[in-house]
């Protein structure tokens, strides 16, 4: 498996999405910008990959904080134009922290100015190649993926990873169509001619049918048992929170979670747990998985941000 020479993937840790640099002469387009807490690192990584080239354009696959968090820093550093999915234009223009899931998930963001939108079905050039933006609702109901038919290449955001897909947030916050939309997206991706996928997280991969089979298997498990989806989301969101803040006191954890709307929804409405029960369960599960450790009175992550 190899990528076209003009495409460079900066693979990131847990908090930030991958950054995909598509070289265009002495300039470049970058897809997604990572989390705001890593924004300075994003700028330096992009500079190191592009050497003397400049970023002329930044495109986002969707609205979540780990994909748009570095937008403002990139705009300040490079003066680049920013294009976002058409479906999130009002959210970004009004900086609606509820719709952007910043407030509900206790995540951070740095407001930025967008210069235009990309609509589902639109074709555009990037890195000297022709791409089509395709709707990919589920993880984010307004998300896009970018398909290059000539190179059989897909930039998938969080719609498809090598071992699954991103948290189906709509299903967590009351959108009954979230899982059905995820299924529709996977079925659409299965119809594409794709040899290589560049995901929003993880290493670019081939063997797309195997990745899709794993994603469908995961989705079927969630459809059979929605509480399994909720448990998975609780662990993922807690890990993100912990990586963002660095450490959390074990004492008072239940109160901390109770102050975050997404955890109240997952624990109280989807898992039928009190906040102390949810806090104890999260700590036990993530200790068992080796994702966290206890240092003195604090919970700390064991993975890189």
């Amino acid at each position: 498996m190899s990528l076209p020479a003009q495409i460079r993937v900066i693979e990131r840790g847990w908090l930030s999405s991958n950054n995909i640099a598509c070289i265009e002469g002495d300039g470049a387009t970058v897809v997604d910008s990572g989390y705001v807490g890593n924004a300075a690192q994003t700028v330096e990584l992009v500079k190191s990959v592009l050497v003397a080239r400049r970023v002329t354009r930044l495109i986002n696959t969707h609205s979540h904080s780990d994909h748009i968090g570095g937008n403002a820093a990139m705009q300040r550093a490079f003066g680049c134009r920013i294009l976002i999915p058409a479906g999130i234009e009002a959210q970004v223009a009004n900086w609606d922290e509820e719709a952007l899931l910043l407030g509900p998930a206790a995540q951070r963001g740095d407001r930025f100015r967008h210069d235009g939108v990309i609509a589902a079905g639109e074709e555009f050039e990037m890195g000297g190649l022709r791409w089509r933006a395709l709707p990919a609702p589920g993880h984010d109901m307004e998300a896009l993926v970018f398909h290059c038919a000539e190179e059989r290449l897909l930039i998938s955001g969080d719609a498809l990873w090598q071992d699954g897909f991103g948290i189906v947030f709509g299903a967590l916050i009351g959108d009954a169509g979230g899982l059905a939309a995820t299924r529709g997206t996977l079925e659409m991706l299965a119809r594409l001619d794709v040899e290589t996928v560049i995901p929003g997280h993880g290493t670019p991969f081939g063997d797309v049918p195997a990745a899709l089979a794993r994603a469908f298997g995961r989705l079927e498990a969630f459809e059979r048992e929605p509480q399994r989806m909720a448990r998975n989301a609780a662990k993922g969101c807690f890990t993100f929170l912990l990586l963002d803040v660095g450490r959390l006191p074990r004492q008072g954890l239940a109160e901390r979670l109770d102050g975050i709307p997404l955890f109240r929804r997952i624990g109280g409405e989807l898992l039928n747990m009190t906040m102390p029960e949810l806090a104890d369960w999260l700590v036990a599960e993530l200790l068992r998985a080796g994702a966290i450790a206890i240092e003195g009175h604090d919970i700390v992550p064991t993975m890189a941000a």
Side-chain angles (χ1 to χ4, degrees), residues 35-272:
Y35 191 58
V36 66
N38 294 341
Q41 181 188 53
T42 297
V43 170
E44 292 308 311
L45 287 170
V46 169
K47 285 180 177 178
S48 70
V49 165
L50 296 182
V51 192
R53 300 178 182 89
R54 59 193 180 91
V55 178
T56 58
R57 186 174 52 169
L58 173 64
I59 298 176
N60 293 125
T61 57
H62 63 287
S63 67
H64 292 162
S65 64
D66 56 330
H67 290 255
I68 67 170
N71 281 18
M74 290 281 285
Q75 200 167 50
R76 289 192 295 269
F78 299 105
C80 56
R81 298 177 66 242
I82 295 180
L83 304 182
I84 60 175
I88 67 170
E89 184 171 25
Q91 300 172 14
V92 170
N94 299 325
W95 202 246
D96 184 341
E97 296 199 355
E98 182 81 12
L100 294 170
L101 291 181
L102 296 173
Q107 295 176 8
R108 296 181 289 136
D110 193 355
R111 189 170 187 170
F112 63 91
R113 184 199 74 252
H114 74 284
D115 301 285
V117 300
I118 294 181
E122 184 175 336
E123 292 191 354
F124 61 100
E125 286 193 5
M126 184 167 61
L129 300 171
R130 196 74 180 163
W131 301 79
R132 180 183 290 273
L134 299 170
H139 169 69
D140 180 319
M141 296 302 283
E142 305 297 339
L144 299 174
V145 297
F146 307 135
H147 179 229
C148 176
E150 177 186 358
E151 295 289 338
R152 303 173 65 200
L153 183 61
L154 179 72
I155 295 175
S156 65
D158 290 348
L160 179 66
W161 299 338
Q162 191 165 16
D163 291 307
F165 46 82
I167 293 168
V168 186
F169 281 102
L172 296 177
I173 60 178
D175 187 337
L179 288 176
T182 301
R183 177 167 290 280
T185 290
L186 293 178
E187 290 171 348
M188 179 273 292
L189 295 178
R191 293 191 294 269
L192 296 177
D193 183 13
V194 175
E195 182 176 51
T196 304
V197 174
I198 305 175
H201 301 270
T203 304
F205 60 89
D207 199 355
V208 182
L212 282 164
R214 287 189 290 270
F216 275 115
R218 185 180 187 85
L219 177 61
E220 288 161 8
F222 290 167
E223 290 169 334
R224 287 194 307 270
E225 186 187 354
Q227 284 196 333
R228 179 172 179 174
M229 176 186 67
R231 291 192 296 268
N232 174 268
K235 289 186 286 187
C237 291
F238 181 77
T239 302
F240 191 101
L241 173 66
L242 184 59
L243 284 165
D244 188 21
V245 301
R247 61 177 56 231
L248 284 169
R250 179 65 183 88
Q251 185 174 4
L253 180 60
E255 290 78 7
R256 177 71 177 259
L257 296 181
D258 192 44
I260 301 173
L262 188 60
F263 286 105
R264 287 203 306 273
R265 163 78 177 165
I266 293 172
E269 299 182 40
L270 302 179
L271 295 178
N272 297 314

Side-chain angles (χ1 to χ4, degrees), residues 271-293:
L271 295 178
N272 297 314
M273 291 182 178
T274 65
M275 284 299 105
E277 288 171 340
L278 180 63
D280 289 344
W281 177 81
L282 281 168
V283 171
E285 282 289 303
L286 293 171
L287 278 172
R288 184 175 59 81
I292 64 172

